[in-house]
Amino acid sequence: MTKATDLRAKSDDQLTEELGNLKREAFNLRFQAATSQLEKPSRVKEVRKDIARIKTLQNERSRSAAK
C-alpha cells in the first residue's frame, strides 16, 4: 500500500507511470479472481485504493494549476 505522502513527492510523469502499472495489476488480479487462482484477495482492495489515491492527487494538481 502506498502512502499519500510518498505519492506527493513524485512527479506527474511518475504518477502516470505508477497509475498504468496499478491498472495493469488490477486487470491481472481480476483475471486471477475469475479463474480462482487469486493468492491474496486483499491485494485487490489495496490496488483499487492506490489507484484512487493517485487519481485524487492528479485531480488536485490539475485544479491547482488551473487557478
Short mmCIF file of all heavy atoms in Angstrom, two decimals:
data_model
loop_
_atom_site.label_atom_id
_atom_site.label_comp_id
_atom_site.label_asym_id
_atom_site.label_seq_id
_atom_site.Cartn_x
_atom_site.Cartn_y
_atom_site.Cartn_z
N MET A 1 0.85 -1.18 0.00
CA MET A 1 0.00 0.00 0.00
C MET A 1 0.89 1.23 0.00
O MET A 1 1.86 1.31 0.74
CB MET A 1 -0.92 -0.01 1.22
CG MET A 1 -1.78 1.20 1.28
SD MET A 1 -3.40 1.08 1.98
CE MET A 1 -3.22 0.44 3.57
N THR A 2 0.56 2.18 -0.83
CA THR A 2 1.33 3.39 -0.98
C THR A 2 0.73 4.50 -0.13
O THR A 2 -0.47 4.71 -0.11
CB THR A 2 1.32 3.83 -2.46
OG1 THR A 2 1.67 2.72 -3.27
CG2 THR A 2 2.32 4.93 -2.69
N LYS A 3 1.60 5.21 0.56
CA LYS A 3 1.15 6.33 1.37
C LYS A 3 0.98 7.57 0.50
O LYS A 3 1.69 7.76 -0.49
CB LYS A 3 2.19 6.64 2.46
CG LYS A 3 2.40 5.51 3.43
CD LYS A 3 1.80 5.88 4.73
CE LYS A 3 2.11 4.81 5.76
NZ LYS A 3 1.11 4.71 6.74
N ALA A 4 0.06 8.42 0.88
CA ALA A 4 -0.21 9.65 0.12
C ALA A 4 1.01 10.56 0.14
O ALA A 4 1.30 11.23 -0.86
CB ALA A 4 -1.43 10.36 0.68
N THR A 5 1.75 10.59 1.25
CA THR A 5 2.94 11.45 1.32
C THR A 5 4.01 10.98 0.34
O THR A 5 4.72 11.81 -0.23
CB THR A 5 3.51 11.48 2.75
OG1 THR A 5 3.71 10.14 3.20
CG2 THR A 5 2.59 12.19 3.71
N ASP A 6 4.13 9.67 0.15
CA ASP A 6 5.09 9.15 -0.83
C ASP A 6 4.68 9.56 -2.24
O ASP A 6 5.53 9.89 -3.08
CB ASP A 6 5.18 7.62 -0.76
CG ASP A 6 5.68 7.13 0.59
OD1 ASP A 6 6.36 7.91 1.30
OD2 ASP A 6 5.38 5.97 0.94
N LEU A 7 3.39 9.53 -2.51
CA LEU A 7 2.89 9.89 -3.84
C LEU A 7 3.08 11.37 -4.12
O LEU A 7 3.36 11.76 -5.25
CB LEU A 7 1.42 9.52 -3.98
CG LEU A 7 1.11 8.02 -4.00
CD1 LEU A 7 -0.39 7.80 -4.02
CD2 LEU A 7 1.75 7.35 -5.21
N ARG A 8 2.92 12.22 -3.11
CA ARG A 8 3.05 13.66 -3.31
C ARG A 8 4.48 14.04 -3.70
O ARG A 8 4.69 15.05 -4.37
CB ARG A 8 2.64 14.42 -2.05
CG ARG A 8 1.15 14.38 -1.81
CD ARG A 8 0.73 15.28 -0.66
NE ARG A 8 -0.65 15.04 -0.29
CZ ARG A 8 -1.68 15.52 -0.96
NH1 ARG A 8 -1.50 16.25 -2.03
NH2 ARG A 8 -2.92 15.26 -0.56
N ALA A 9 5.45 13.23 -3.31
CA ALA A 9 6.85 13.52 -3.63
C ALA A 9 7.18 13.19 -5.08
O ALA A 9 8.20 13.63 -5.60
CB ALA A 9 7.76 12.73 -2.70
N LYS A 10 6.32 12.44 -5.76
CA LYS A 10 6.58 12.01 -7.13
C LYS A 10 6.12 13.07 -8.13
O LYS A 10 5.22 13.85 -7.86
CB LYS A 10 5.87 10.69 -7.43
CG LYS A 10 6.42 9.53 -6.64
CD LYS A 10 5.80 8.23 -7.06
CE LYS A 10 6.44 7.09 -6.29
NZ LYS A 10 6.01 5.79 -6.79
N SER A 11 6.76 13.04 -9.31
CA SER A 11 6.38 13.97 -10.37
C SER A 11 5.13 13.46 -11.08
O SER A 11 4.70 12.33 -10.87
CB SER A 11 7.53 14.11 -11.38
OG SER A 11 7.67 12.91 -12.11
N ASP A 12 4.58 14.30 -11.95
CA ASP A 12 3.38 13.92 -12.70
C ASP A 12 3.63 12.71 -13.58
O ASP A 12 2.78 11.83 -13.70
CB ASP A 12 2.88 15.10 -13.54
CG ASP A 12 2.31 16.22 -12.68
OD1 ASP A 12 1.95 15.95 -11.52
OD2 ASP A 12 2.22 17.35 -13.18
N ASP A 13 4.81 12.68 -14.22
CA ASP A 13 5.14 11.54 -15.09
C ASP A 13 5.26 10.25 -14.29
O ASP A 13 4.80 9.19 -14.73
CB ASP A 13 6.44 11.80 -15.85
CG ASP A 13 6.30 12.92 -16.87
OD1 ASP A 13 5.15 13.17 -17.31
OD2 ASP A 13 7.32 13.53 -17.22
N GLN A 14 5.86 10.33 -13.12
CA GLN A 14 6.00 9.14 -12.28
C GLN A 14 4.63 8.65 -11.82
O GLN A 14 4.39 7.45 -11.76
CB GLN A 14 6.87 9.45 -11.05
CG GLN A 14 8.34 9.65 -11.38
CD GLN A 14 9.13 10.13 -10.18
OE1 GLN A 14 8.64 10.95 -9.39
NE2 GLN A 14 10.35 9.64 -10.05
N LEU A 15 3.74 9.58 -11.50
CA LEU A 15 2.39 9.21 -11.08
C LEU A 15 1.63 8.53 -12.21
O LEU A 15 0.94 7.53 -11.99
CB LEU A 15 1.61 10.44 -10.59
CG LEU A 15 1.99 10.99 -9.23
CD1 LEU A 15 1.18 12.24 -8.92
CD2 LEU A 15 1.79 9.96 -8.14
N THR A 16 1.78 9.05 -13.42
CA THR A 16 1.11 8.46 -14.58
C THR A 16 1.62 7.05 -14.83
O THR A 16 0.84 6.14 -15.10
CB THR A 16 1.32 9.34 -15.82
OG1 THR A 16 0.85 10.66 -15.53
CG2 THR A 16 0.57 8.80 -17.01
N GLU A 17 2.93 6.87 -14.71
CA GLU A 17 3.52 5.54 -14.89
C GLU A 17 3.04 4.57 -13.81
O GLU A 17 2.67 3.43 -14.09
CB GLU A 17 5.05 5.65 -14.86
CG GLU A 17 5.74 4.33 -15.11
CD GLU A 17 7.26 4.46 -15.08
OE1 GLU A 17 7.77 5.57 -15.30
OE2 GLU A 17 7.91 3.44 -14.81
N GLU A 18 3.02 5.05 -12.58
CA GLU A 18 2.56 4.21 -11.45
C GLU A 18 1.09 3.83 -11.64
O GLU A 18 0.69 2.69 -11.38
CB GLU A 18 2.74 4.99 -10.15
CG GLU A 18 2.34 4.25 -8.91
CD GLU A 18 3.35 3.24 -8.43
OE1 GLU A 18 4.52 3.33 -8.84
OE2 GLU A 18 2.97 2.35 -7.66
N LEU A 19 0.28 4.77 -12.12
CA LEU A 19 -1.13 4.51 -12.36
C LEU A 19 -1.30 3.42 -13.42
O LEU A 19 -2.12 2.51 -13.27
CB LEU A 19 -1.85 5.79 -12.79
CG LEU A 19 -3.35 5.70 -13.02
CD1 LEU A 19 -4.07 5.30 -11.74
CD2 LEU A 19 -3.88 7.02 -13.51
N GLY A 20 -0.52 3.49 -14.48
CA GLY A 20 -0.56 2.47 -15.53
C GLY A 20 -0.19 1.09 -14.99
O GLY A 20 -0.86 0.09 -15.31
N ASN A 21 0.84 1.05 -14.16
CA ASN A 21 1.25 -0.22 -13.57
C ASN A 21 0.16 -0.80 -12.67
O ASN A 21 -0.11 -2.00 -12.69
CB ASN A 21 2.55 -0.06 -12.77
CG ASN A 21 3.74 0.25 -13.64
OD1 ASN A 21 3.74 -0.04 -14.84
ND2 ASN A 21 4.76 0.86 -13.07
N LEU A 22 -0.46 0.06 -11.87
CA LEU A 22 -1.51 -0.40 -10.96
C LEU A 22 -2.74 -0.88 -11.73
O LEU A 22 -3.37 -1.86 -11.35
CB LEU A 22 -1.89 0.71 -9.98
CG LEU A 22 -0.87 0.98 -8.87
CD1 LEU A 22 -1.22 2.25 -8.12
CD2 LEU A 22 -0.79 -0.20 -7.92
N LYS A 23 -3.09 -0.18 -12.81
CA LYS A 23 -4.24 -0.60 -13.61
C LYS A 23 -3.97 -1.96 -14.24
O LYS A 23 -4.86 -2.81 -14.32
CB LYS A 23 -4.55 0.44 -14.68
CG LYS A 23 -5.27 1.65 -14.14
CD LYS A 23 -5.70 2.57 -15.26
CE LYS A 23 -6.55 3.69 -14.70
NZ LYS A 23 -7.10 4.53 -15.77
N ARG A 24 -2.73 -2.18 -14.70
CA ARG A 24 -2.36 -3.47 -15.27
C ARG A 24 -2.45 -4.57 -14.21
O ARG A 24 -2.96 -5.66 -14.45
CB ARG A 24 -0.93 -3.39 -15.82
CG ARG A 24 -0.67 -4.28 -17.00
CD ARG A 24 0.66 -3.99 -17.68
NE ARG A 24 0.74 -2.64 -18.22
CZ ARG A 24 1.57 -1.69 -17.76
NH1 ARG A 24 2.40 -1.94 -16.79
NH2 ARG A 24 1.56 -0.49 -18.30
N GLU A 25 -1.96 -4.25 -13.00
CA GLU A 25 -2.03 -5.22 -11.91
C GLU A 25 -3.49 -5.52 -11.53
O GLU A 25 -3.85 -6.67 -11.26
CB GLU A 25 -1.27 -4.71 -10.68
CG GLU A 25 -1.23 -5.71 -9.56
CD GLU A 25 -0.47 -5.24 -8.34
OE1 GLU A 25 0.16 -4.16 -8.39
OE2 GLU A 25 -0.50 -5.96 -7.33
N ALA A 26 -4.33 -4.49 -11.51
CA ALA A 26 -5.75 -4.69 -11.18
C ALA A 26 -6.40 -5.61 -12.21
O ALA A 26 -7.20 -6.49 -11.85
CB ALA A 26 -6.47 -3.34 -11.13
N PHE A 27 -6.07 -5.42 -13.49
CA PHE A 27 -6.61 -6.28 -14.54
C PHE A 27 -6.18 -7.72 -14.29
O PHE A 27 -7.01 -8.65 -14.37
CB PHE A 27 -6.13 -5.80 -15.91
CG PHE A 27 -6.52 -6.73 -17.03
CD1 PHE A 27 -7.80 -6.71 -17.54
CD2 PHE A 27 -5.62 -7.64 -17.54
CE1 PHE A 27 -8.18 -7.57 -18.56
CE2 PHE A 27 -5.98 -8.51 -18.56
CZ PHE A 27 -7.26 -8.46 -19.07
N ASN A 28 -4.89 -7.92 -14.00
CA ASN A 28 -4.39 -9.28 -13.77
C ASN A 28 -5.04 -9.91 -12.54
O ASN A 28 -5.35 -11.10 -12.54
CB ASN A 28 -2.87 -9.27 -13.61
CG ASN A 28 -2.16 -8.98 -14.91
OD1 ASN A 28 -2.68 -9.27 -15.99
ND2 ASN A 28 -0.98 -8.38 -14.84
N LEU A 29 -5.26 -9.11 -11.51
CA LEU A 29 -5.90 -9.63 -10.30
C LEU A 29 -7.35 -10.03 -10.57
O LEU A 29 -7.82 -11.05 -10.07
CB LEU A 29 -5.83 -8.60 -9.17
CG LEU A 29 -4.45 -8.38 -8.55
CD1 LEU A 29 -4.48 -7.19 -7.61
CD2 LEU A 29 -3.96 -9.61 -7.83
N ARG A 30 -8.05 -9.22 -11.37
CA ARG A 30 -9.43 -9.58 -11.73
C ARG A 30 -9.45 -10.87 -12.52
O ARG A 30 -10.33 -11.72 -12.32
CB ARG A 30 -10.09 -8.46 -12.55
CG ARG A 30 -10.53 -7.28 -11.74
CD ARG A 30 -11.50 -6.38 -12.51
NE ARG A 30 -11.07 -6.03 -13.84
CZ ARG A 30 -10.32 -4.98 -14.15
NH1 ARG A 30 -9.92 -4.17 -13.21
NH2 ARG A 30 -9.99 -4.72 -15.40
N PHE A 31 -8.49 -11.03 -13.41
CA PHE A 31 -8.41 -12.25 -14.22
C PHE A 31 -8.14 -13.45 -13.32
O PHE A 31 -8.76 -14.51 -13.46
CB PHE A 31 -7.30 -12.09 -15.26
CG PHE A 31 -7.41 -13.07 -16.39
CD1 PHE A 31 -8.20 -12.79 -17.48
CD2 PHE A 31 -6.72 -14.26 -16.35
CE1 PHE A 31 -8.31 -13.68 -18.52
CE2 PHE A 31 -6.81 -15.16 -17.38
CZ PHE A 31 -7.61 -14.89 -18.47
N GLN A 32 -7.22 -13.30 -12.36
CA GLN A 32 -6.92 -14.39 -11.42
C GLN A 32 -8.13 -14.73 -10.56
O GLN A 32 -8.39 -15.89 -10.27
CB GLN A 32 -5.75 -14.01 -10.52
CG GLN A 32 -4.42 -13.99 -11.23
CD GLN A 32 -3.30 -13.49 -10.33
OE1 GLN A 32 -3.49 -13.35 -9.12
NE2 GLN A 32 -2.15 -13.20 -10.92
N ALA A 33 -8.87 -13.72 -10.16
CA ALA A 33 -10.05 -13.95 -9.33
C ALA A 33 -11.10 -14.72 -10.12
O ALA A 33 -11.78 -15.60 -9.57
CB ALA A 33 -10.63 -12.62 -8.84
N ALA A 34 -11.23 -14.40 -11.40
CA ALA A 34 -12.23 -15.09 -12.23
C ALA A 34 -11.88 -16.55 -12.46
O ALA A 34 -12.76 -17.39 -12.62
CB ALA A 34 -12.35 -14.37 -13.58
N THR A 35 -10.58 -16.86 -12.45
CA THR A 35 -10.15 -18.25 -12.68
C THR A 35 -9.80 -18.95 -11.37
O THR A 35 -9.19 -20.02 -11.38
CB THR A 35 -8.93 -18.29 -13.62
OG1 THR A 35 -7.87 -17.51 -13.05
CG2 THR A 35 -9.28 -17.76 -14.99
N SER A 36 -10.16 -18.34 -10.25
CA SER A 36 -9.93 -18.91 -8.90
C SER A 36 -8.47 -19.21 -8.64
O SER A 36 -8.13 -20.22 -8.02
CB SER A 36 -10.76 -20.18 -8.71
OG SER A 36 -12.13 -19.92 -8.89
N GLN A 37 -7.58 -18.34 -9.08
CA GLN A 37 -6.15 -18.50 -8.83
C GLN A 37 -5.58 -17.38 -7.97
O GLN A 37 -4.37 -17.21 -7.89
CB GLN A 37 -5.39 -18.55 -10.16
CG GLN A 37 -5.74 -19.72 -11.03
CD GLN A 37 -5.04 -19.68 -12.37
OE1 GLN A 37 -4.47 -18.66 -12.74
NE2 GLN A 37 -5.11 -20.78 -13.09
N LEU A 38 -6.45 -16.62 -7.34
CA LEU A 38 -6.02 -15.46 -6.56
C LEU A 38 -5.43 -15.91 -5.23
O LEU A 38 -6.10 -16.57 -4.44
CB LEU A 38 -7.22 -14.53 -6.35
CG LEU A 38 -6.94 -13.14 -5.85
CD1 LEU A 38 -6.00 -12.41 -6.80
CD2 LEU A 38 -8.24 -12.36 -5.74
N GLU A 39 -4.16 -15.56 -4.99
CA GLU A 39 -3.50 -15.97 -3.75
C GLU A 39 -3.80 -15.01 -2.60
O GLU A 39 -3.93 -15.44 -1.46
CB GLU A 39 -1.99 -16.04 -3.97
CG GLU A 39 -1.57 -17.15 -4.91
CD GLU A 39 -0.07 -17.17 -5.13
OE1 GLU A 39 0.67 -16.58 -4.33
OE2 GLU A 39 0.35 -17.79 -6.12
N LYS A 40 -3.86 -13.72 -2.91
CA LYS A 40 -4.05 -12.71 -1.87
C LYS A 40 -5.25 -11.84 -2.23
O LYS A 40 -5.10 -10.81 -2.88
CB LYS A 40 -2.79 -11.85 -1.79
CG LYS A 40 -2.15 -11.78 -0.44
CD LYS A 40 -0.89 -10.96 -0.51
CE LYS A 40 -0.97 -9.86 0.49
NZ LYS A 40 0.25 -9.05 0.50
N PRO A 41 -6.45 -12.21 -1.82
CA PRO A 41 -7.63 -11.42 -2.18
C PRO A 41 -7.58 -9.98 -1.67
O PRO A 41 -8.16 -9.08 -2.29
CB PRO A 41 -8.78 -12.18 -1.52
CG PRO A 41 -8.27 -13.55 -1.29
CD PRO A 41 -6.78 -13.41 -1.10
N SER A 42 -6.88 -9.74 -0.59
CA SER A 42 -6.82 -8.38 -0.05
C SER A 42 -6.04 -7.42 -0.96
O SER A 42 -6.20 -6.21 -0.89
CB SER A 42 -6.17 -8.39 1.33
OG SER A 42 -4.85 -8.88 1.25
N ARG A 43 -5.22 -7.97 -1.84
CA ARG A 43 -4.43 -7.15 -2.75
C ARG A 43 -5.32 -6.38 -3.72
O ARG A 43 -4.98 -5.26 -4.12
CB ARG A 43 -3.43 -8.03 -3.51
CG ARG A 43 -2.50 -7.27 -4.41
CD ARG A 43 -1.52 -6.41 -3.66
NE ARG A 43 -0.72 -5.64 -4.61
CZ ARG A 43 -0.33 -4.40 -4.42
NH1 ARG A 43 -0.61 -3.78 -3.30
NH2 ARG A 43 0.36 -3.77 -5.33
N VAL A 44 -6.47 -6.95 -4.08
CA VAL A 44 -7.40 -6.27 -4.99
C VAL A 44 -7.84 -4.94 -4.39
O VAL A 44 -7.83 -3.90 -5.05
CB VAL A 44 -8.63 -7.16 -5.29
CG1 VAL A 44 -9.65 -6.43 -6.13
CG2 VAL A 44 -8.21 -8.46 -5.94
N LYS A 45 -8.19 -4.96 -3.12
CA LYS A 45 -8.65 -3.75 -2.43
C LYS A 45 -7.51 -2.73 -2.31
O LYS A 45 -7.72 -1.53 -2.52
CB LYS A 45 -9.16 -4.14 -1.05
CG LYS A 45 -9.86 -3.04 -0.31
CD LYS A 45 -10.46 -3.56 0.98
CE LYS A 45 -11.24 -2.51 1.70
NZ LYS A 45 -11.83 -3.00 2.95
N GLU A 46 -6.30 -3.20 -2.01
CA GLU A 46 -5.15 -2.30 -1.90
C GLU A 46 -4.87 -1.59 -3.21
O GLU A 46 -4.64 -0.38 -3.24
CB GLU A 46 -3.90 -3.09 -1.49
CG GLU A 46 -3.90 -3.60 -0.08
CD GLU A 46 -2.70 -4.47 0.22
OE1 GLU A 46 -1.75 -4.50 -0.60
OE2 GLU A 46 -2.70 -5.13 1.25
N VAL A 47 -4.90 -2.35 -4.30
CA VAL A 47 -4.62 -1.76 -5.62
C VAL A 47 -5.67 -0.74 -5.98
O VAL A 47 -5.36 0.35 -6.48
CB VAL A 47 -4.52 -2.87 -6.69
CG1 VAL A 47 -4.48 -2.28 -8.08
CG2 VAL A 47 -3.28 -3.73 -6.46
N ARG A 48 -6.94 -1.05 -5.73
CA ARG A 48 -8.01 -0.10 -6.04
C ARG A 48 -7.84 1.20 -5.25
O ARG A 48 -8.06 2.30 -5.78
CB ARG A 48 -9.37 -0.73 -5.74
CG ARG A 48 -9.76 -1.78 -6.76
CD ARG A 48 -11.08 -2.44 -6.46
NE ARG A 48 -12.14 -1.47 -6.33
CZ ARG A 48 -13.17 -1.59 -5.50
NH1 ARG A 48 -13.30 -2.66 -4.75
NH2 ARG A 48 -14.09 -0.67 -5.44
N LYS A 49 -7.46 1.09 -3.99
CA LYS A 49 -7.28 2.29 -3.17
C LYS A 49 -6.07 3.10 -3.63
O LYS A 49 -6.11 4.34 -3.61
CB LYS A 49 -7.14 1.91 -1.69
CG LYS A 49 -8.46 1.49 -1.09
CD LYS A 49 -8.35 1.31 0.41
CE LYS A 49 -9.73 1.00 0.96
NZ LYS A 49 -9.78 1.11 2.42
N ASP A 50 -5.00 2.41 -4.03
CA ASP A 50 -3.82 3.12 -4.54
C ASP A 50 -4.16 3.86 -5.83
O ASP A 50 -3.72 4.99 -6.03
CB ASP A 50 -2.66 2.14 -4.78
CG ASP A 50 -2.01 1.69 -3.48
OD1 ASP A 50 -2.26 2.32 -2.43
OD2 ASP A 50 -1.26 0.70 -3.52
N ILE A 51 -4.95 3.24 -6.70
CA ILE A 51 -5.38 3.90 -7.93
C ILE A 51 -6.19 5.16 -7.59
O ILE A 51 -5.98 6.23 -8.17
CB ILE A 51 -6.20 2.95 -8.82
CG1 ILE A 51 -5.28 1.88 -9.42
CG2 ILE A 51 -6.93 3.71 -9.93
CD1 ILE A 51 -6.00 0.76 -10.14
N ALA A 52 -7.07 5.05 -6.62
CA ALA A 52 -7.89 6.20 -6.21
C ALA A 52 -7.02 7.30 -5.63
O ALA A 52 -7.26 8.49 -5.89
CB ALA A 52 -8.93 5.75 -5.19
N ARG A 53 -5.99 6.94 -4.85
CA ARG A 53 -5.09 7.95 -4.27
C ARG A 53 -4.38 8.73 -5.38
O ARG A 53 -4.27 9.95 -5.32
CB ARG A 53 -4.04 7.28 -3.38
CG ARG A 53 -4.53 6.93 -2.02
CD ARG A 53 -3.39 6.47 -1.12
NE ARG A 53 -3.94 5.91 0.09
CZ ARG A 53 -4.16 4.62 0.29
NH1 ARG A 53 -3.84 3.74 -0.62
NH2 ARG A 53 -4.69 4.20 1.42
N ILE A 54 -3.88 8.00 -6.38
CA ILE A 54 -3.16 8.66 -7.47
C ILE A 54 -4.09 9.56 -8.26
O ILE A 54 -3.75 10.70 -8.58
CB ILE A 54 -2.48 7.61 -8.38
CG1 ILE A 54 -1.34 6.94 -7.62
CG2 ILE A 54 -1.96 8.27 -9.66
CD1 ILE A 54 -0.69 5.81 -8.37
N LYS A 55 -5.29 9.08 -8.57
CA LYS A 55 -6.24 9.89 -9.33
C LYS A 55 -6.63 11.14 -8.56
O LYS A 55 -6.78 12.22 -9.13
CB LYS A 55 -7.48 9.08 -9.69
CG LYS A 55 -7.23 8.09 -10.82
CD LYS A 55 -8.53 7.44 -11.23
CE LYS A 55 -8.34 6.61 -12.47
NZ LYS A 55 -9.62 6.04 -12.94
N THR A 56 -6.81 11.02 -7.26
CA THR A 56 -7.15 12.16 -6.42
C THR A 56 -6.03 13.19 -6.44
O THR A 56 -6.27 14.40 -6.59
CB THR A 56 -7.42 11.71 -4.97
OG1 THR A 56 -8.50 10.80 -4.97
CG2 THR A 56 -7.72 12.89 -4.07
N LEU A 57 -4.80 12.72 -6.31
CA LEU A 57 -3.66 13.63 -6.32
C LEU A 57 -3.52 14.32 -7.67
O LEU A 57 -3.25 15.52 -7.74
CB LEU A 57 -2.38 12.86 -5.97
CG LEU A 57 -1.11 13.66 -5.83
CD1 LEU A 57 -1.29 14.77 -4.81
CD2 LEU A 57 0.04 12.77 -5.45
N GLN A 58 -3.71 13.57 -8.75
CA GLN A 58 -3.64 14.18 -10.09
C GLN A 58 -4.74 15.23 -10.26
O GLN A 58 -4.49 16.30 -10.84
CB GLN A 58 -3.78 13.11 -11.17
CG GLN A 58 -2.55 12.24 -11.33
CD GLN A 58 -2.74 11.15 -12.36
OE1 GLN A 58 -3.86 10.68 -12.60
NE2 GLN A 58 -1.65 10.72 -12.97
N ASN A 59 -5.91 14.94 -9.75
CA ASN A 59 -7.02 15.90 -9.83
C ASN A 59 -6.71 17.16 -9.03
O ASN A 59 -6.97 18.28 -9.49
CB ASN A 59 -8.31 15.24 -9.34
CG ASN A 59 -9.53 16.04 -9.67
OD1 ASN A 59 -9.48 16.95 -10.48
ND2 ASN A 59 -10.65 15.69 -9.06
N GLU A 60 -6.14 17.00 -7.84
CA GLU A 60 -5.77 18.15 -7.02
C GLU A 60 -4.76 19.02 -7.75
O GLU A 60 -4.86 20.25 -7.76
CB GLU A 60 -5.17 17.69 -5.69
CG GLU A 60 -6.17 17.16 -4.70
CD GLU A 60 -5.50 16.62 -3.44
OE1 GLU A 60 -4.24 16.69 -3.33
OE2 GLU A 60 -6.21 16.11 -2.57
N ARG A 61 -3.77 18.37 -8.36
CA ARG A 61 -2.72 19.12 -9.06
C ARG A 61 -3.28 19.85 -10.27
O ARG A 61 -2.90 20.99 -10.54
CB ARG A 61 -1.59 18.18 -9.49
CG ARG A 61 -0.74 17.72 -8.33
CD ARG A 61 0.39 16.84 -8.79
NE ARG A 61 1.19 16.41 -7.65
CZ ARG A 61 2.27 15.66 -7.77
NH1 ARG A 61 2.68 15.24 -8.96
NH2 ARG A 61 2.94 15.29 -6.69
N SER A 62 -4.17 19.21 -11.00
CA SER A 62 -4.72 19.87 -12.18
C SER A 62 -5.62 21.04 -11.79
O SER A 62 -5.65 22.07 -12.47
CB SER A 62 -5.50 18.87 -13.05
OG SER A 62 -6.66 18.42 -12.40
N ARG A 63 -6.33 20.91 -10.69
CA ARG A 63 -7.18 22.02 -10.23
C ARG A 63 -6.34 23.19 -9.74
O ARG A 63 -6.70 24.35 -9.98
CB ARG A 63 -8.12 21.56 -9.12
CG ARG A 63 -9.27 20.75 -9.63
CD ARG A 63 -10.14 20.30 -8.46
NE ARG A 63 -11.28 19.55 -8.96
CZ ARG A 63 -12.51 19.72 -8.55
NH1 ARG A 63 -12.77 20.60 -7.60
NH2 ARG A 63 -13.49 19.03 -9.05
N SER A 64 -5.25 22.90 -9.03
CA SER A 64 -4.42 24.00 -8.53
C SER A 64 -3.67 24.68 -9.69
O SER A 64 -3.41 25.88 -9.63
CB SER A 64 -3.43 23.49 -7.49
OG SER A 64 -2.49 22.62 -8.09
N ALA A 65 -3.36 23.92 -10.74
CA ALA A 65 -2.71 24.52 -11.90
C ALA A 65 -3.66 25.41 -12.68
O ALA A 65 -3.26 26.37 -13.33
CB ALA A 65 -2.14 23.43 -12.81
N ALA A 66 -4.96 25.08 -12.63
CA ALA A 66 -5.96 25.84 -13.37
C ALA A 66 -6.25 27.19 -12.71
O ALA A 66 -6.73 28.11 -13.37
CB ALA A 66 -7.25 25.03 -13.49
N LYS A 67 -5.95 27.30 -11.44
CA LYS A 67 -6.25 28.56 -10.73
C LYS A 67 -5.24 29.65 -11.04
O LYS A 67 -4.17 29.51 -11.39
CB LYS A 67 -6.26 28.32 -9.22
CG LYS A 67 -7.49 27.59 -8.79
CD LYS A 67 -7.55 27.47 -7.28
CE LYS A 67 -8.81 26.76 -6.87
NZ LYS A 67 -8.91 26.57 -5.44
#
